[in-house]
Amino acid sequence: MEKKMLNIKIEGISYQVPSGLTIMEAAKLCGYDIPHLCTFENGLCSRGSCRVCLVEVTGARGLIASCVYPINEGIDIHINSPKALSARRTSVELLLSNHNKNCQQCLKNGKCELLLAAQQTGARDGMYIGQKSEDTIDEVGPGIVRDTSKCVLCGRCVETCKALQGIGILGFQKRGFKTIVGPADNRAFKDSPCMQCGQCTLVCPTGALMEKDDISKVDEAIKLGKKVIVQTAPAIRATIAEEFGEKIGSNNGNTGKMVAALHRLGFYRVFDTNFGADLTIMEEGTELLNRISQGGVLPQITSCSPGWINYMEYYYSDLIPNMSTCKSPHEMEGAIIKSYFAKTHNIDPKDIFVVSIMPCTAKKTECVRPQNAANDGLADVDVVLTTRELARMIKRSGINWQMLPEEQFDNDLLGQYSGAGVIFGVTGGVMEAALRTAYFKLTGKEAGFLDFKAVRGQKDIKEATLNINGKEIKVAVASGMNIAHKLLDEIREGKSPYAFIEIMGCPGGCINGGGQPYVKECFLPNEKPNIRETYRKLRAKVLYTEDERQTIRQSHNNPDIIKLYKDYLGEPCGEKSHHLLHTTYNKDRVRFPKK
């Protein structure tokens, strides 16, 4: 239904805009970007609490918070009146008066919306001096750091956790000057049922919520003379260039430049986690076929997303029998590096230090799980860095991204990968990759790639029915727990029609992981105004395009995978591969441990 058009005025100039908009939204359509902090994601969080977006409206009793006030016919708006300009500046100055301004040490430096708002409003430091709120700094967990001294109480994290994951782990606590945002009872993240997905870090306007920086651990390993081997997740190639000014979705040699940068950072080997993704398909696909043929527990649910695994252990541990026992790709690859690679290169596994570059803050929690220590108690992966951390490493080294050549991943035993491995980085990719191999295993024929495109796209729940040798196999894909729980409830109630379900913790999959570059219009002046609605699709296109470029597009046809099973593992889901590549889950994980 077409919306009614309204006549409005901004600074005395007449405009026509659709009905149903706030003043801020209408102003943006007319070419005005009103400073703001609390509002985000098309009004998902618009409390009008920060008062940074105040404007003057003719006839109103006072100044108006533009992010929540709806337009009406004939409304006369003044953004640049002396009264509005002064009020916005004062609002930011008051926020600064209670803010920890250690900007040089803050990981959000250069991407801080509070600092941007201060610049836009001309806010002056030190205008209001007095007692500051008591701080809480939570850095005891491996994934996310919370620092309330930098929190502006915007509520974005609160609403994002509720809207995307449906768990609402964060909330406002205490009152007045003592108000803070955090898990219940101001607990640490590690003592709360938090997924560690990091979606809160993507929306936080300041450094109040950030990934834990582990670059120093890599520096120390190099200093100690370890064989420091790095692997990069499929989704990193779709986003790393954004940190160096490239437009979202661009693919100007991203993969080759990333590899060249990693070589220059001094890593002993630079491997692609796509190899681990192909290995995952061989194990997970075989596990699925075994369940189907032997009457095992169905549906089988994928296990590649550690955020989803955390959620499952907290809220759906009764579904552990449905979970694939496969480790995630980077954990599998880490286990192989510290066994097969170490053996063939005559290296003591204790001298190997594996670094995974991941799009995900939850991967930081995954690598410290004791279940992921297949080689004599050694962790499969020693450190996980996010896309943002890798960018910081490259920048501090003085490497010019634009001038980097394109180089290849190292290819000694673990180098080759298929197009199926590439698409792991997007929702539906694991499912599509698995179906390519499952179809071959069941029929002896390669499927056409159009057969599985029903599981692509950003739709909430994607379904497909495959007819393989006369047998119908129903599958489903979901990302984000607020969506996925519908599929999980069906399983719990015994009503699920599916044989295989892919679940990813972050909406859109790894391309939208909590460790990926920030997508905020205020820092992306060269992007289209609707970038928040299109960025996932643009990132996904990079991966699908790379898949199409590969000469090998099925995991079972990867020659390095074939060689690995022939020379070392034996067969998928065999005794050796089960020891190295499979894991277990916590069925009694306590949501709120005793302090």
Side-chain angles (χ1 to χ4, degrees):
M1 183 176 176
E2 191 173 342
K3 288 187 176 182
K4 178 183 177 182
M5 299 300 289
L6 298 179
N7 296 295
I8 69 171
K9 283 187 177 182
I10 301 178
E11 312 299 6
I13 300 174
S14 297
Y15 298 94
Q16 275 200 333
V17 296
S19 60
L21 301 178
T22 64
I23 290 176
M24 179 177 287
E25 291 168 338
K28 188 168 185 177
L29 287 180
C30 299
Y32 296 86
D33 287 319
I34 302 173
H36 59 275
L37 282 176
C38 66
T39 187
F40 190 76
E41 198 69 49
N42 292 329
L44 169 65
C45 176
S46 288
R47 301 173 179 274
S49 59
C50 73
R51 318 307 285 176
V52 176
C53 69
L54 293 174
V55 298
E56 192 170 3
V57 173
T58 300
R61 294 178 61 184
L63 294 175
I64 300 297
S66 62
C67 68
V68 293
Y69 197 88
I71 59 169
N72 52 62
E73 176 67 25
I75 191 171
D76 189 8
I77 303 162
H78 301 278
I79 301 170
N80 295 310
S81 71
K83 189 175 180 180
L85 289 171
S86 177
R88 292 201 296 270
R89 182 173 69 177
T90 299
S91 294
V92 177
E93 289 171 349
L94 287 168
L95 289 171
L96 290 173
S97 72
N98 194 41
H99 189 75
N100 179 353
K101 297 184 283 291
N102 64 336
C103 299
Q104 289 301 104
Q105 290 79 40
C106 184
L107 299 183
K108 276 271 178 75
N109 195 335
K111 298 292 177 67
C112 175
E113 293 178 63
L114 177 59
L115 183 58
L116 177 63
Q119 294 168 345
Q120 290 173 327
T121 61
R124 302 153 295 181
D125 190 22
M127 293 302 295
Y128 300 93
I129 299 174
Q131 183 182 356
K132 291 192 176 185
S133 302
E134 184 178 349
D135 301 338
T136 296
I137 298 179
D138 171 15
E139 53 186 4
V140 294
I144 300 173
V145 175
R146 177 171 62 104
D147 183 353
T148 63
S149 71
K150 299 177 182 178
C151 179
V152 295
L153 302 176
C154 65
R156 290 185 187 180
C157 58
V158 177
E159 296 304 321
T160 295
C161 190
K162 285 194 295 186
L164 298 187
Q165 307 299 16
I167 56 179
I169 192 65
L170 297 167
F172 290 93
Q173 299 174 43
K174 304 180 183 179
R175 291 185 177 183
F177 192 64
K178 295 182 179 180
T179 303
I180 59 171
V181 172
D185 197 27
N186 200 24
R187 288 172 173 266
F189 278 121
K190 76 176 187 64
D191 295 326
S192 307
C194 172
M195 293 171 55
Q196 293 285 296
C197 67
Q199 290 298 309
C200 57
T201 71
L202 294 179
V203 301
C204 179
T206 67
L209 289 167
M210 290 292 300
E211 77 274 13
K212 196 165 192 176
D213 193 314
D214 289 316
I215 294 174
S216 61
K217 295 180 181 179
V218 180
D219 293 340
E220 183 65 18
I222 293 174
K223 182 179 178 180
L224 292 173
K226 297 276 189 179
K227 304 290 187 185
V228 183
I229 296 174
V230 67
Q231 58 172 316
T232 66
I236 306 301
R237 74 200 67 212
T239 59
I240 183 63
E242 295 172 24
E243 289 284 333
F244 301 95
E246 299 275 3
K247 295 188 71 171
I248 295 174
S250 67
N251 192 16
N252 300 322
N254 293 2
T255 305
K257 288 186 175 185
M258 176 183 68
V259 172
L262 290 167
H263 281 143
R264 283 151 182 75
L265 289 174
F267 290 103
Y268 179 69
R269 290 288 191 280
V270 180
F271 290 141
D272 196 331
T273 309
N274 284 352
F275 177 89
D278 282 337
L279 193 55
T280 300
I281 289 303
M282 297 302 293
E283 294 294 317
E284 195 166 75
T286 300
E287 183 183 8
L288 174 63
L289 295 178
N290 288 343
R291 292 191 188 209
I292 292 174
S293 63
Q294 298 170 15
V297 177
L298 293 174
Q300 177 177 303
I301 311 176
T302 58
S303 55
C304 294
S305 166
W308 145 238
I309 296 301
N310 288 332
Y311 178 86
M312 179 274 296
E313 289 181 337
Y314 282 129
Y315 300 99
Y316 287 88
S317 61
D318 54 310
L319 301 188
I320 285 177
N322 294 87
M323 296 299 302
S324 167
T325 61
C326 291
K327 294 177 180 177
S328 68
H330 83 114
E331 291 288 342
M332 283 196 182
E333 189 154 331
I336 293 300
I337 288 171
K338 291 190 176 182
S339 55
Y340 178 58
F341 179 86
K343 181 179 179 180
T344 54
H345 288 72
N346 197 28
I347 303 172
D348 187 336
K350 295 184 177 65
D351 293 330
I352 293 177
F353 190 90
V354 177
V355 179
S356 295
I357 311 297
M358 296 286 123
C360 177
T361 50
K363 294 286 185 186
K364 289 176 178 283
T365 68
E366 181 183 40
C367 75
V368 298
R369 286 173 69 99
Q371 299 97 319
N372 295 332
N375 295 285
D376 299 323
L378 295 175
D380 297 335
V381 172
D382 297 283
V383 166
V384 167
L385 302 182
T386 63
T387 314
R388 298 192 293 262
E389 286 171 279
L390 173 58
R392 290 199 292 272
M393 284 190 74
I394 294 171
K395 290 173 182 176
R396 75 172 187 177
S397 298
I399 295 171
N400 187 319
W401 176 266
Q402 280 70 30
M403 293 182 67
L404 281 169
E406 294 185 39
E407 296 179 0
Q408 299 293 317
F409 286 100
D410 294 322
N411 188 6
D412 49 351
L413 303 178
L414 306 180
Q416 296 201 51
Y417 61 87
S418 74
V422 176
I423 60 176
F424 260 60
V426 64
T427 176
V430 178
M431 175 67 71
E432 183 173 348
L435 293 177
R436 292 179 188 181
T437 290
Y439 186 92
F440 175 80
K441 294 287 186 181
L442 287 170
T443 67
K445 302 175 183 177
E446 301 292 0
F449 296 106
L450 292 177
D451 295 345
F452 308 131
K453 286 195 175 181
V455 296
R456 293 187 179 185
Q458 300 297 312
K459 185 180 175 183
D460 286 350
I461 293 177
K462 294 164 286 188
E463 302 171 290
T465 301
L466 306 174
N467 192 310
I468 303 178
N469 285 349
K471 184 179 180 66
E472 281 196 347
I473 298 177
K474 294 181 180 291
V475 299
V477 172
S479 62
M481 295 305 101
N482 205 29
I483 300 300
H485 82 87
K486 301 170 186 177
L487 297 176
L488 301 174
D489 289 342
E490 281 185 348
I491 301 172
R492 180 174 275 173
E493 295 165 6
K495 299 178 181 179
S496 178
Y498 307 110
F500 193 28
I501 294 176
E502 178 204 301
I503 295 179
M504 288 292 171
C506 294
C510 299
I511 52 169
N512 189 39
Q516 292 281 39
Y518 305 116
V519 182
K520 298 179 179 180
E521 297 97 324
C522 57
F523 296 117
L524 300 170
N526 296 321
E527 296 287 359
K528 293 182 179 178
N530 68 337
I531 190 61
R532 284 293 304 170
E533 286 75 47
T534 60
Y535 75 96
R536 296 179 199 171
K537 183 177 180 180
L538 292 170
R539 288 174 172 177
K541 186 178 179 181
V542 174
L543 300 185
Y544 286 127
T545 299
E546 181 138 347
D547 167 37
E548 292 168 2
R549 283 203 299 257
Q550 300 302 313
T551 54
I552 300 170
R553 296 181 64 189
Q554 309 91 352
S555 300
H556 56 272
N557 289 330
N558 181 340
D560 279 358
I561 292 289
I562 295 170
K563 178 176 174 57
L564 176 63
Y565 279 104
K566 179 182 177 182
D567 294 350
Y568 189 67
L569 291 178
E571 61 180 358
C573 292
E575 182 179 349
K576 193 159 196 173
S577 69
H578 194 84
H579 169 69
L580 289 172
L581 309 179
H582 292 249
T583 189
T584 58
Y585 305 107
N586 301 322
K587 66 177 181 178
D588 299 313
R589 193 164 176 179
V590 179
R591 295 187 193 178
F592 295 101
K594 291 182 179 179
K595 288 188 175 182

